[in-house]
């Protein structure tokens, strides 16, 4: 998407941001087929415009397209990323098990203490 520089003379002193009208609506960009987007982007750049795309992930692992891209650049990267993710998940599970073991031991110890106190009172 193209916007004028916020510090440019064209936008200085305006109350409303005049560059808002220069944004290309997302629905238009979505209609451009993937195989034509690069040519479309080059055409816009030739006219002084630029399209940027932001991608966000909610997962620890990259998408398969991104993993394949990394694998193309550095062979074996996708496997390393997956192995690292797997190691981290195993560590989380082990940490959870340790916490549960500690809580269970504390529960047992508290019950034994309460039982001994009861026996002493009786």
């Amino acid at each position: 998407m193209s916007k004028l520089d916020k510090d440019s003379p064209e936008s200085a002193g305006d109350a409303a941001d005049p560059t808002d009208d220069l944004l290309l609506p997302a629905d238009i960009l979505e209609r451009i087929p993937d195989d034509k987007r690069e040519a479309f982007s080059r055409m816009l750049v030739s006219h002084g415009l630029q399209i940027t795309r932001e991608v966000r992930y909610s997962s620890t692992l990259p998408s398969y397209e991104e993993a394949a891209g990394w694998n193309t650049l550095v062979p074996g990267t996708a496997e390393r990323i997956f192995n690292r993710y797997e190691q981290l998940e195993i560590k989380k599970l082990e940490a959870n098990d340790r916490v549960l073991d500690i809580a269970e031991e504390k529960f047992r110890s508290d019950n034994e203490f309460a039982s001994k106190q009861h026996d002493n009172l009786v």
Side-chain angles (χ1 to χ4, degrees), residues 31-103:
R31 284 189 249 155
I32 301 170
D34 289 342
D35 59 332
K36 307 257 187 212
R37 284 187 186 172
E38 189 172 330
F40 181 72
S41 180
R42 280 195 302 270
M43 187 261 316
L44 290 177
V45 168
S46 72
H47 293 288
L49 302 172
Q50 180 180 359
I51 293 179
T52 58
R53 185 176 117 187
E54 183 176 300
V55 178
R56 294 178 187 224
Y57 299 104
S58 61
S59 171
T60 307
L61 290 172
S63 67
Y64 65 90
E65 293 97 353
E66 188 175 349
W70 277 103
N71 223 31
T72 302
L73 290 172
V74 182
T77 302
E79 184 177 355
R80 290 175 53 205
I81 290 170
F82 180 77
N83 287 341
R84 182 66 180 146
Y85 174 78
E86 190 175 38
Q87 290 170 358
L88 291 173
E89 288 302 306
I90 288 170
K91 285 183 180 183
K92 284 181 194 176
L93 291 172
E94 289 171 348
N96 287 342
D97 286 346
R98 284 192 301 274
V99 167
L100 289 174
D101 288 345
I102 290 169

Side-chain angles (χ1 to χ4, degrees), residues 95-112:
N96 287 342
D97 286 346
R98 284 192 301 274
V99 167
L100 289 174
D101 288 345
I102 290 169
E104 187 178 340
E105 182 59 37
K106 173 85 169 110
F107 181 76
R108 250 190 254 124
S109 138
D110 288 350
N111 279 344
E112 287 175 11

Side-chain angles (χ1 to χ4, degrees), residues 1-21:
M1 291 184 207
S2 175
K3 287 185 104 176
L4 293 172
D5 184 6
K6 296 270 187 215
D7 298 327
S8 69
E10 292 86 355
S11 65
D14 291 347
D17 187 357
T19 62
D20 287 344
D21 295 335

